[in-house]
Amino acid sequence: MRKLLTLGLIAAALVPAAASAQSRGEIRADQRDLRQEQRELDRAYRSGNPYRIQEERRDVRDARQELREDFRGRAYGRDDWRDWRRDHRDIYARGRWNAPFRYQAFRPGVRIAPAYWGQRYFIADPWRYHLPPARAWQRWVRHYDDVLLIDTRRGVVLDVYRGFFF
């Protein structure tokens, strides 16, 4: 029961944090908590006590849910750029912009040709638009009014923000 109360307090403390972007350290801590809960579940199975097993299963399920929520909340700080864009419309109003190819709505996981993410389409200053920093081998690319996060080694779309520019 004490563990359940502790888990409830931790979850209550993390609910506001889940709405904001999570740092890697917080996600790692949640992953450690999940591993600990799984170890506790293994111990419960070894004890053979059905009530303890049920309680530990619930704790593992809650820890997994919390980790999923943290990953979703971290999802590149999606709401951050929307609020910033609403308040700074002049930065996102880049006028009519067309590429020498037709518009295509890309989705994450699709491999695209290098012509769509060539050097001339790179967003050189993603921090200006409150986009999350791109990791190694990743670049933010403008595709008409959309913004794509591309893995430049494989040409795979990792993330898409539709209607990013006005």
Side-chain angles (χ1 to χ4, degrees):
M1 187 66 178
R2 185 174 55 185
K3 184 181 254 185
L4 187 61
L5 288 173
T6 305
L7 187 62
L9 289 173
I10 290 171
L14 291 178
V15 166
S20 65
Q22 299 292 313
S23 71
R24 288 184 203 170
E26 290 172 328
I27 289 178
R28 283 189 193 121
D30 287 341
Q31 289 171 332
R32 279 192 303 269
D33 291 344
L34 176 59
R35 285 191 299 269
Q36 178 63 32
E37 293 297 340
Q38 287 171 332
R39 282 197 256 356
E40 293 289 328
L41 179 60
D42 290 341
R43 289 186 194 119
Y45 276 120
R46 278 186 248 130
S47 74
N49 183 346
Y51 297 110
R52 184 171 172 212
I53 292 171
Q54 183 179 11
E55 180 181 330
E56 293 300 334
R57 277 186 184 164
R58 191 177 315 116
D59 290 346
V60 168
R61 187 175 54 243
D62 291 344
R64 282 185 182 144
Q65 178 65 30
E66 186 176 316
L67 184 60
R68 273 194 299 270
E69 289 171 359
D70 286 349
F71 271 119
R72 282 190 205 117
R74 181 175 175 244
Y76 298 115
R78 281 192 176 273
D79 295 331
D80 184 31
W81 70 265
R82 287 189 177 115
D83 294 338
W84 178 260
R85 183 178 76 161
R86 185 182 60 241
D87 297 336
H88 300 87
R89 294 181 70 88
D90 56 320
I91 295 174
Y92 294 87
R94 288 298 188 181
R96 194 157 166 79
W97 186 89
N98 292 321
F101 40 78
R102 295 181 66 184
Y103 173 79
Q104 184 174 350
F106 294 112
R107 66 183 192 282
V110 173
R111 184 179 301 248
I112 61 174
Y116 288 100
W117 51 272
Q119 179 116 12
R120 65 186 281 195
Y121 308 116
F122 286 169
I123 296 176
D125 50 355
W127 55 88
R128 180 178 185 196
Y129 302 107
H130 276 240
L131 287 168
R135 297 182 184 152
W137 303 104
Q138 296 177 356
R139 292 300 299 249
W140 286 104
V141 177
R142 180 166 185 176
H143 180 64
Y144 287 81
D145 289 341
D146 298 345
V147 175
L148 311 172
L149 181 62
I150 305 290
D151 179 348
T152 57
R153 291 178 294 180
R154 301 176 295 149
V156 174
V157 177
L158 301 174
D159 202 1
V160 178
Y161 291 168
R162 300 201 193 287
F164 189 80
F165 292 101
F166 293 116

